[in-house]
Amino acid sequence: MWLSKARLNHDQKAVAALASVLVPEDGSARVAATHHLVWSLFAGDADRKRDFLWREERPGHFLILSPDRPGDGGGLCTVESKEFTPALSAGDRLGFSLRANAVVSRGEPGSGRGKRHDVVMDVLRHHPKGERASHRLGLVTEAGAAWLVRQGERHGFVIEGQPACDGYEAIRVLRGRGEKPLTFSQIDFAGVLSVTDPARFIAAIGHGFGRARAFGCGLMLIRRV
């Protein structure tokens, strides 16, 4: 795997002139635009399926985890890459940062398949509509932390203490004519974890956590404590 830093190349006048289009100020519009921008760094195979994760650190600056090195999008970006080969053991303590679309699957009456629900809204629906606004902030922490604990049980790590669960935001991505907009939420998590199964944990980092991974969610960043 390769961990790369990519930044929009404002040094080139043509790129700088298009900066407001490539990285719009509006949050939802920026998610859609940067989705295409990051994809351009892996151009070359029209049939390629997404096999990389990414997140926007700040406007025009991205972190990308991928099985091969990204290109520069024809000069759109400046890219620096290094191999991502974490040597982890059971018991290692790591600081982490994760932006994720946290969902839970609930069975639907008359259907054999579960339907995915945002973890916050899934809990919030049990509160009267008039009280939901006052409960929302607390439920982001409660539901978000519970989701993260479940991820650890599945993927070889344990969360230490209470993780930070901030930046809950609803994203609406416009698609092609006649298609419904794509809507999802994201939460920024941070804290400390202990590795219990290094192989499962590293595999999960490469695969990503939660949904909406094509739109900047799912990449967990780790560092030694």
Side-chain angles (χ1 to χ4, degrees):
M1 301 291 285
W2 294 87
L3 184 62
S4 305
K5 291 182 178 181
R7 65 173 178 83
L8 197 63
N9 196 351
H10 288 278
D11 299 333
Q12 293 196 20
K13 291 182 179 179
V15 177
L18 291 171
S20 61
V21 176
L22 296 171
V23 187
E25 290 187 7
D26 176 74
S28 294
R30 190 164 70 243
V31 169
T34 52
H35 161 78
H36 293 293
L37 176 60
V38 175
W39 261 104
S40 75
L41 306 183
F42 296 92
D45 182 358
D47 297 321
R48 176 175 182 148
K49 295 183 181 294
R50 182 199 53 77
D51 56 0
F52 57 88
L53 301 167
W54 65 279
R55 66 180 283 177
E56 185 181 37
E57 289 291 274
R58 58 185 189 277
H61 292 252
F62 310 94
L63 289 174
I64 304 167
L65 184 65
S66 57
D68 45 42
R69 292 192 189 202
D72 64 0
L76 283 175
C77 292
T78 296
V79 181
E80 300 175 0
S81 301
K82 64 179 181 180
E83 286 191 85
F84 180 74
T85 55
L88 300 178
S89 301
D92 282 353
R93 300 177 67 242
L94 304 171
F96 72 90
S97 174
L98 169 66
R99 178 171 297 149
N101 169 225
V103 298
V104 63
S105 182
R106 301 292 186 202
E108 296 291 311
S111 173
R113 297 180 60 185
K115 184 176 180 180
R116 290 191 294 269
H117 298 271
D118 166 88
V119 292
V120 177
M121 296 305 297
D122 185 61
V123 178
L124 202 59
R125 65 190 173 92
H126 297 293
H127 294 267
K129 289 185 177 180
E131 300 177 8
R132 291 179 183 179
S134 62
H135 288 285
R136 187 186 304 270
L137 184 60
L139 290 178
V140 170
T141 298
E142 177 185 326
W147 176 84
L148 197 57
V149 167
R150 293 193 297 271
Q151 294 297 303
E153 292 170 349
R154 292 173 54 195
H155 299 302
F157 65 91
V158 174
I159 299 296
E160 295 189 5
Q162 178 67 45
C165 307
D166 302 312
Y168 179 71
E169 182 181 6
I171 304 295
R172 184 172 182 267
V173 179
L174 296 178
R175 298 195 282 185
R177 182 180 299 177
E179 293 186 84
K180 291 183 178 180
L182 173 68
T183 59
F184 63 92
S185 65
Q186 62 185 31
I187 302 175
D188 286 336
F189 299 94
V192 176
L193 61 81
S194 295
V195 178
T196 57
D197 187 324
R200 273 198 297 157
F201 179 54
I202 293 173
I205 289 178
H207 181 70
F209 297 90
R211 310 294 296 185
R213 294 187 293 273
F215 293 93
C217 293
L219 173 57
M220 178 181 282
L221 306 175
I222 55 175
R223 59 175 176 79
R224 298 280 181 180
V225 173

